[in-house]
Amino acid sequence: MIAACIEVHRHLGPGLLESAYEQCLCHELSLRSLSFERQRPLPLVYKGVHLECGYRLDVVVGSCLIVEVKAVERLLPVHEAQALTYLRLTRLPAALVVNFNVAVLRHGLRRLSYNPNHPFPPSCNIVLHPKKQGRPHRESHRDGGVDRIAALLEDVRADLGGKGIVHGDNAVPA
């Protein structure tokens, strides 16, 4: 999957719209004979009411990986939170957030999973540090947004009924 993303980025470079990258990525997946679904509808159920809000998953590969295509200046915590919410709503095991608007594609990749034993390694780990008095801390070489990520993860955890989530290799307990 990542090789297909790299191939698209190598040919197009940064600076285009998300829709162009999405269409080219789907073409690349077809060339590689990978099964995928583009713009898969994501129904939303709120207190038993089915809402047709128009949410769509950019690409679902092999019925097990959500690929969220971005073309932004930099990935923000809200982009990871969006992918985590999609994982929770679809119950799919993994997501890949790909920002094509970067000079080197590896700086625009975020891998997320609810299952720590999943074959996709995480982009970062959320761990509890005693020095931070039990507050989640993001271990990563990437910059910023630790408090915002922690707040977003708390919201996702609350939506899961306090069961906790797994982000990367470490569980964030309830």
Side-chain angles (χ1 to χ4, degrees):
M1 182 63 224
I2 291 175
C5 294
I6 290 171
E7 183 69 11
V8 170
H9 189 265
R10 191 167 60 88
H11 280 275
L12 298 178
L16 300 176
L17 295 175
E18 289 176 15
S19 58
Y21 293 115
E22 181 183 315
Q23 188 168 352
C24 292
L25 179 60
C26 289
H27 178 68
E28 189 64 32
L29 294 174
S30 294
L31 292 175
R32 294 167 186 253
S33 300
L34 293 172
S35 65
F36 67 90
E37 188 177 355
R38 183 175 181 204
Q39 290 297 310
R40 179 177 171 183
L42 179 64
L44 184 62
V45 179
Y46 178 74
K47 295 185 177 182
V49 177
H50 293 274
L51 305 172
E52 292 299 325
C53 299
Y55 288 109
R56 296 190 173 274
L57 304 174
D58 290 344
V59 181
V60 178
V61 180
S63 298
C64 65
L65 175 68
I66 298 170
V67 179
E68 186 61 29
V69 176
K70 299 292 181 192
V72 294
E73 183 177 336
R74 69 184 181 99
L75 290 176
L76 298 172
V78 69
H79 298 127
E80 289 183 24
Q82 177 187 20
L84 286 170
T85 299
Y86 290 168
L87 287 174
R88 180 178 51 83
L89 292 174
T90 61
R91 304 212 185 277
L92 292 175
L96 180 65
V97 181
V98 183
N99 182 17
F100 283 97
N101 198 29
V102 291
V104 179
L105 189 64
R106 74 169 185 249
H107 298 299
L109 298 174
R110 298 292 185 279
R111 296 173 300 275
L112 302 168
S113 174
Y114 278 124
N115 181 351
N117 299 320
H118 200 273
F120 298 113
S123 295
C124 64
N125 296 317
I126 302 294
V127 296
L128 297 178
H129 285 288
K131 292 180 183 176
K132 301 270 184 185
Q133 299 173 343
R135 288 182 38 217
H137 174 71
R138 182 179 187 197
E139 283 188 341
S140 175
H141 61 278
R142 297 178 189 95
D143 63 326
V146 173
D147 291 332
R148 284 184 290 174
I149 290 172
L152 292 168
L153 290 174
E154 287 297 325
D155 291 343
V156 171
R157 182 183 299 124
D159 289 344
L160 289 171
K163 295 178 185 169
I165 64 168
V166 173
H167 179 85
D169 289 332
N170 299 344
V172 180

